[in-house]
Amino acid sequence: MNNIAPITHYIIVGGGSAGWISAAILSRVTAHLPCKITLIESPTISSVGVGEATIPSIIDLLRFLDIPQTEFIQATQATFKLGIKFTNWLTEDHSYWHPFGNIGQAIDGLSFYQHWLGAKQRGNKNQYSDFSPNVVLAEQNKFAQAQQHQKNILSHSTYALHLDATLMADYLKKYCLTRGVIHRTAHIHDATVCEKQQITSVILDNKEQLAADFYIDCSGQSALLIGKTLQVSYQNWQHYLPVDSAVVVQSKNPSQRQPYTHAIAHPYGWQWQIPLNNRTGNGYVYCSKYCSDKEALATLTNNITEPLENTPRVIKFTTGKRDVFWHKNCLSIGLSAGFLEPLESTGLYLIMKGMLNFVAMLPDSQFQQARCDEYNRQMDLEFENIRDFIIIHYSLTQRNDSVFWQDWHTRPLPKSLEHKLAVFKSNGILMKNPQDLFSDDSWYAVLEGMKMRPANLNPLVNNSDHQQVDAILQKHIYLLEQMIKQAPRHEAFVNALHNNTQKADS
Ligand SMILES: Cc1cc2nc3c(=O)[nH]c(=O)nc-3n(C[C@H](O)[C@H](O)[C@H](O)COP(=O)(O)OP(=O)(O)OC[C@H]3O[C@@H](n4cnc5c(N)ncnc54)[C@H](O)[C@@H]3O)c2cc1C
């Protein structure tokens, strides 16, 4: 076996969420290797500063980095998120939930969704989401954590956080600095490349040249290394996901901070409400083809009831992804790699997943192309699966009140999604893809929320004893009713945590 020289120096460009999450993961896995990590961030370009809603993988990230949950929650002014409430997406007077965690439980090896459809035909009156512990909690503004050593109705429920992205970057910066990451504040104005088309150094504004074996581009939408230097093109997905702008502003908290993200559809896009411990994050994501920034600002501010805390700002973006994420000795992570719009809060997840997949294939000085190709294949699937999941939130709409929503009735779907929906429509089966971030329960929740049901029942529903199935469903509802009586209010739980009289399970 050959002893190939390891990478001894990584340069990370960018000090936003992507830069510091990447540095944290890399410093953790290379802790005992002779490897230097330098993070360079511009003093003049600020990070995008949004990215406040997360998905349960944030808790996995904390565990991976060995960060105590309570400490992190306190440092980032975080609250809990049990899922997303979607209002006005199907029609203007309708809402539904996409909760995290399980919805019911598989029975005789067949998905709960199929059994619930069968029970519905027999007259069961419960909605699908009634079987989700997180929906039951969220509807009453309550919060409870599954206890690791106790098996009960909450055992398969999960949660995420609403957090201040800037405070998260600050926290991770301290984490990294104590682990030897070198932090430079400097503007990079160029990079040098050798004849093999590998990056050989970055050139700072003061003309200083810094060299490393490998470069991680976390420079945000400017994509300094992967785009400008290496000329890897960006696949524009606006024909699939047309929103391209967001106006964002923070407001004072209402008296109750709800334990969920609220996503409210409007004529040209949708509005988010994300309650943190000390303030609420708001944004209106819209399509500039149909709506001016001024109009968007008016829509947003007219739909915020509490006083504003700062001046609104507009952020522009292009949905899509890099042709390849890893090219030569450069990896793109964060907005430089791609962006799929904020719905379903997958930005921070893609950063974490991008880095975890990378460290699983950690390169050496020979840069074997096979590893790089496999990485790019895996990340392509991540982006495509998430893209398809986001699209169904829009494409199944019955809204007709604006050109934006009317266009969704005829917009072509990606082939992968067309196929998935065709199979689902036949008898409720979801094509399994091991790379899919969103579980079957998530897909079923959104499809049911948007009133798409299969034409036929899965024949295996009749393989189970119907009486037994009905009894299981009834017991599930009973256990949820018992659970909710005991659960504390989210408000009280969060206050106790921030006042240090309560700890989050870690
Ligand atoms: C409107 C909107 C809402 C979002 N909401 C969510 C959400 O709710 N949940 C979620 O998970 N994700 C969300 N995201 C995505 C999330 O914000 C990003 O994935 C995340 O912030 C990563 O950004 P970044 O670090 O790649 O880029 P940035 O935050 O833009 O950071 C770029 C960094 O690169 C540095 N830099 C740039 N050029 C140079 C240079 N020449 N020299 C040196 N340094 C340089 C800058 O100084 C900065 O530090 C949202 C994104 C948008 C646009």
Side-chain angles (χ1 to χ4, degrees), residues 13-19 40-43 45-54 186-189 218-222 224 246 248 272 274 285 315 317 333-336 339 342 345-349 351:
V13 176
S17 309
I40 308 170
E41 113 183 83
S42 167
I45 305 176
S46 46
S47 59
V48 67
V50 279
E52 300 184 323
T54 64
H187 189 82
I188 299 170
H189 98 107
C218 299
S219 64
Q221 295 196 63
S222 63
L224 192 70
V248 302
W272 77 68
I274 300 177
V285 181
I315 303 171
F317 56 85
I333 293 281
L335 296 174
S336 67
F339 185 52
S345 333
T346 52
L348 298 181
Y349 163 80
I351 292 170

